Amino acid sequence: MSGKYETVIGVEIHVELGTKTKLFCSCRTDFDADVNTQTCPVCLGMPGILPVLNAKAVEYGIKAALAMNCRICEHSIFERKNYFYPDLPKGYQISQYRQPLSENGYVEINSNGDRKRIGVTRVHLEDDAAKNIHTGEIDESLTSYVDFNRSGVPLIEIVSEPDMRSVEEMKSYCETVKSILEYTGVSDCDMEKGQMRIEANISVRRADDPETTTDRSEIKNLNSVRYAMRAVEYEVERHTKALESGKTLLMETRLFDVNKGVTRAMRSKEEAHDYRYFPEPDLVPVEPDRDWIEEIRRNLPELPNARRQRFMDEYELPEHDATLLVSDKKLADYYESCVKSYSNPKTVSNWVLNELLALLSNARQNIDECKITPEHFAGMMKLVDDGTISGKIAKTVYEEMFNTAKMADVVVKEKGLLQITDEAEIAAIVEQVMAENPGPVQDYRDGKKKAMGFLIGQVMKATKGKANPQLVNKIFGEKL
Ligand SMILES: [Zn+2]
């Protein structure tokens, strides 16, 4: 977008907390359970029920809020947010509105290589709705079902300030929040399982006159960061066009159609008063003990930013490597165990970021499924360091270890990958290559040094990459 306009994006993220039981009853929250097997009168919204607050959910909420630098409020209350929908049997959601669990935080994101703070307005607790399951496409579906297993699962809602100025900043924000929550262990944030859901608010204004702005629209139910980016890109364009042509946009809630790549109006944007919020009479205020909060703060794990800095200081990694490694907690953990087994941090980083990530991606595997243990990796590097195999062959060995979980020395033996370090053997191959390629040999002797690369390549080809490169160089130097 040209410098004439400025995009204003705010994000609300709902995250299911990884507690064993629900927010107000003791039903389990197992994701894979059969439909409607984890329910009770409380989460089915029967008349006369009494909710009982899950202390673990409060602890996780506080933990998440502290990790995002929020102030934990001394006194917060639950309120009923009233609306009707088939997935909400009570007729209201129990949420926090006027007095949330926490407020005034921030997270630091990467914006074009710089660090930028995005304000976190609040992190509050609420219960999840049940899940509607439609047969076929939602607008043509003749039958809908409701699975109440999800009804009452604890959520935190993380509301950002409208501080993001581009789709890339929004992406970085969502990924940073996800990573922070994964580090704290309060949620797996598995977006495919709906454990993290994104909503974005967008408006566009004139850069020189912020008062000239479109009314914001809100896009609901974005189930992946990629969809969120596509949806917001579409909206930014729609808003920019409206601003250019002086057209007024309605303040509204929109849905993103993944197949068509467009957003469409769902309903006019509801205001808070539409929900008739009032304090939940069956729950007492949440007044967490200061000592308890401090204990949770003390026990916070090292968070991604701190870990990135430590990787740069302790392992002397470039910022690029450190950033990539810490973005995924499990990847960073794996990296550190490899460094414990083989203490050359930059070499380990190269293997993990170049070879391993590509192999995992091709195999559609996660890092916790990786068959190469840190010990196996160290075993392979020992073979490289003592000259048993070349660096090039190591890539073949690594891939074989990845596929079979075998030790490097076993792979080398089985595949006959031992490096050729016998000078006489290499010399014979060098002579043969020179005899077969008189042109390049003459080129080299005429001063075209680049011809050497071709000749070395031919030796490597003839030995399937097993010739010791230093020896090949040395022998060519002698013979040419
Ligand atoms: Zn229940």
Side-chain angles (χ1 to χ4, degrees), residues 85 138 217-222 231 234-235 252-258 261-267:
Y85 207 64
I138 184 166
S217 46
E218 176 175 295
I219 319 172
K220 286 243 179 231
N221 299 336
L222 297 163
Y234 178 86
E235 276 302 284
E252 63 190 0
T253 301
R254 299 176 71 85
L255 284 178
F256 181 56
D257 184 326
V258 176
V262 301
T263 65
R264 49 193 163 78
M266 182 165 105
R267 56 169 185 256

Side-chain angles (χ1 to χ4, degrees), residues 17-222:
L17 297 175
T19 53
K20 289 199 175 64
T21 57
K22 295 186 180 180
L23 187 53
F24 299 118
C25 61
S26 53
C27 292
R28 290 189 64 88
T29 56
D30 304 340
F31 180 79
D32 295 327
D34 285 340
V35 292
N36 292 318
T37 54
Q38 299 180 147
T39 61
C40 73
V42 173
C43 52
L44 288 172
M46 298 295 179
I49 46 150
L50 281 175
V52 177
L53 182 58
N54 180 340
K56 200 71 185 172
V58 178
E59 181 190 325
Y60 279 10
I62 291 175
K63 204 171 181 182
L66 290 174
M68 289 181 277
N69 306 293
C70 290
R71 186 182 79 82
I72 308 301
C73 303
E74 292 80 21
H75 179 95
S76 70
I77 58 167
F78 284 101
E79 301 200 51
R80 291 188 182 180
K81 180 182 183 179
N82 298 281
Y83 66 94
F84 174 78
Y85 207 64
D87 63 10
L88 193 70
K90 299 193 296 297
Y92 56 86
Q93 181 186 27
I94 302 179
S95 182
Q96 296 192 296
Y97 173 52
R98 273 162 288 208
Q99 292 171 284
L101 180 73
S102 70
E103 58 193 14
N104 285 337
Y106 66 88
V107 299
E108 247 184 40
I109 64 160
N110 178 349
S111 166
N112 281 328
D114 289 327
R115 314 298 301 166
K116 176 177 173 179
R117 275 190 185 185
I118 303 296
V120 172
T121 317
R122 54 196 278 157
V123 175
H124 71 239
L125 284 165
E126 58 188 30
D127 60 354
D128 205 348
K131 191 174 181 180
N132 285 336
I133 300 163
H134 309 284
T135 53
E137 290 297 313
I138 184 166
D139 24 11
E140 293 156 18
S141 180
L142 294 176
T143 320
S144 293
Y145 302 88
V146 188
D147 177 7
F148 289 95
N149 284 358
R150 202 178 72 179
S151 172
V153 167
L155 293 177
I156 44 172
E157 179 173 340
I158 305 152
V159 182
S160 87
E161 290 291 307
D163 286 346
M164 287 151 266
R165 292 290 168 270
S166 67
V167 174
E168 289 69 35
E169 285 189 3
M170 181 194 72
K171 173 175 188 264
S172 178
Y173 172 77
C174 293
E175 288 173 350
T176 305
V177 168
K178 183 170 188 281
S179 166
I180 289 172
L181 295 176
E182 285 166 355
Y183 270 72
T184 56
V186 302
S187 174
D188 292 336
C189 298
D190 187 333
M191 296 190 79
E192 281 177 22
K193 291 181 180 171
Q195 291 172 347
M196 175 171 165
R197 305 177 310 245
I198 301 170
E199 292 170 19
N201 295 297
I202 300 110
S203 60
V204 173
R205 64 190 182 196
R206 286 183 63 115
D208 58 351
D209 174 20
E211 296 297 309
T212 304
T213 175
T214 57
D215 279 330
R216 79 193 141 89
S217 46
E218 176 175 295
I219 319 172
K220 286 243 179 231
N221 299 336
L222 297 163

Side-chain angles (χ1 to χ4, degrees), residues 41 57 76 204 291 315 324 417 423 431:
S76 70
V204 173
D291 293 340
Y315 302 134
L324 281 176
L417 296 171
E423 277 208 49
E431 274 166 18

